[in-house]
Amino acid sequence: METIIYLIRHADTIDENGIRNTKETMQEINEKEILSINGEEQSKKLSENNELQNLDAIWCSNYTRAKQTAKYIAGANKINYNIDERLGERKLGNIEDLAKFMEDKETRDPSR
């Protein structure tokens, strides 16, 4: 039996014009980004691709945009999608803290 695996990146996300909830870390914001109207249309069109018909299983990360993309493909196949948080991006922590750390490191490094 042959197994074929398709890796699909989420569709286009919404551009928030720099408006962010500052009470959340950058990682939390990243995990909650949603698809744009164009992204929803891209996902629907992708779900109509002949190669993505008759799938046995669909897996996605727990990111909102990944689930939004997977729902169209799952719907076209009349199956549910599975969520696995290990499929998410590497977590680098709070971007502001990382930037401050790098700035402090450069200040302390006498070779710079």
Side-chain angles (χ1 to χ4, degrees), residues 88-103:
E89 298 170 6
R90 284 188 334 178
K91 294 186 179 181
L92 299 175
N94 185 314
I95 197 74
E96 289 88 4
D97 290 345
L98 181 59
K100 176 86 170 100
F101 171 79
M102 294 305 292
E103 183 180 297

Side-chain angles (χ1 to χ4, degrees), residues 2-5 12-13 21 24 29-30 45-46 54 62 64 90 92 95 111:
E2 181 180 36
T3 299
I4 299 173
I5 298 173
D12 187 48
T13 57
N21 181 347
E24 295 179 302
I29 292 167
N30 187 28
K45 186 173 181 179
L46 180 65
N54 301 312
N62 61 336
T64 301
R90 284 188 334 178
L92 299 175
I95 197 74
S111 66

Side-chain angles (χ1 to χ4, degrees), residues 66-108:
K67 292 184 286 187
Q68 288 177 299
T69 302
K71 77 178 177 186
Y72 287 98
I73 301 167
N77 284 276
K78 296 179 175 59
I79 61 175
N80 292 322
Y81 59 87
N82 302 286
I83 300 170
D84 189 329
E85 65 185 32
R86 295 174 297 176
L87 296 174
E89 298 170 6
R90 284 188 334 178
K91 294 186 179 181
L92 299 175
N94 185 314
I95 197 74
E96 289 88 4
D97 290 345
L98 181 59
K100 176 86 170 100
F101 171 79
M102 294 305 292
E103 183 180 297
D104 290 347
K105 181 179 177 190
E106 288 176 7
T107 303
R108 290 188 311 264

